[in-house]
Amino acid sequence: MYPEPYNSVEAVKKICVNFEHIRRVDLDRVLRLLRVEKNVAIVDQCSLYMISFIAEILTKDNYANNREVYDACKNLLDFLAEKSNSEITGYQLTNLLQSADRDETFIITLQALGPTMCKHHHQSFESWRSRSFSIIRRYLEEVDVPNQDPKKIIDLYKAIVKFYETTIDGTKNPELLKGMIPHLIQLLGNPLCFTQDASSKSLDIEFGKVMQKTVANIFRTMDDPLGFLQHPPYMRFHPDELAIAHLFYWVYCEGVCLQAVPKVYSPKFVFELSVALMCALLESEHDGLVEKAIKLASRLLIPLKEEKWSHLLLELESTGQFISLLATTIVYNNTREIRQMALTCLTTFILQFDTTGVYLILKHSLAVQSHSGLKGYLITLYKDLIHREWGDDISEYLKGVHLKRFLSACCRLKGDEDSNLSEDSEQIISALNLIRYLLLKDQNNVTQVANWLALLEDSYLKPLKKSITLSRNRLEQDIRTPIDDQTMPKGELNLMVAGEKVEPSSEEERLASLKSSLAGLDVIESVLSRVVELLEEK
């Protein structure tokens, strides 16, 4: 037993008064003193000034130069959180949380605040509970992901997830649980969603665990995330679309708490509700998020394979935005696997519509897209659609005036006859293949294509033939005329290979590019000659 002077609040104050020269042994002595059975009653009295005292110690300098003292403060905070029943303790810990200037201090305080919060349930404490949620959110907003160690971010999130778990476990007020919902969902957004590190398997596993626990906590506070989106309750803060999109991804793609989602929603309704969320992921231009958007869309489309959507759905702004963002990903994303995933997803999405819808999407896309490869692919989709629906009752959007308009959109040369055809080779070849298919397939003029063959020949095929000749002459002349690498101004010669601009860095590469363009012209001329032969037979 300690001497009597140490069995009092004043004794604790005496030890802690000179915090600038405090030692680990002093803090351990305080802790031993407070743990004495007869002194436990004074903990609430001590906590009033001890938390302020601890706040002075938990500084960057002590973390760097006096870690023993820093760590001892954690033990004291944990003890105060366990033993103190004072309402003031909760307020002081919340203030300490707000003033935390480093992750370690934030985590230590959060670990003490959780148990303290669970001791007080009456309405007067709702404000500081809500304040603690807001402090956590604002702290996370300041995290600089590019310059932060992913492991430190995950460790921070582990503490936050544990805090919310403790709070949920100890909360008896349903209104408080409802107030947690937007803050819990926002945890799935920035910065956590940008933290996943595919190069580290262990970190990737930890990232997944944090995400799964967060989603599980969300479902402990609500059982219908779709209902939350449809009719969000009045709240001062609402989670952003990036965070909600991750909630949908982890539920529908990873299957976390999927069994808890109400079964009353149709797959189509779920997809329609998710389109704006997938657009938010695609707009981020972050490969990890873009990949999640594509996976989520592909997953939600699976149960809709046998269902055709009305073209009226295209009137929704989010639908057009989704198509545009997928097209942008296909053309500009640097990762080949993501480009392929996006192309597959876009194809599935387009073919989900009725024939009218498919036609409208393809025709509009031809008008707004500039990439030759993508335009060529869309033209081929239209040709395949005609083939699948061929018959006397073929849709009006695959014949007559609509077919004429589609051909006008895809059968046009960019610039004059002297322009570089290599840039648009894929579109040109696909357009010629469409014409050739119609000439071979439509012997009875079901599509009425024979009505405008003369116009098509004069406006497209003849200018194309002339352009091939001019382009070939120019390319052959360039091949015969070597250019000195040292005297060639940078950027003077721009070539197109497979629809992509390249700037040769050597004479060898320049010749290879020119010969590749020449080979592309040979392919165009070969397909054109077959079309011309069929026209002559008509």
Side-chain angles (χ1 to χ4, degrees), residues 110 205 281 377 396 419:
L110 204 58
I205 293 173
L281 292 172
Y377 182 79
E396 63 176 312
S419 59

Side-chain angles (χ1 to χ4, degrees), residues 224-239:
D224 186 3
L226 295 183
F228 177 84
L229 281 182
Q230 288 179 272
H231 309 290
Y234 172 74
M235 294 176 181
R236 294 180 180 178
F237 165 72
H238 286 274

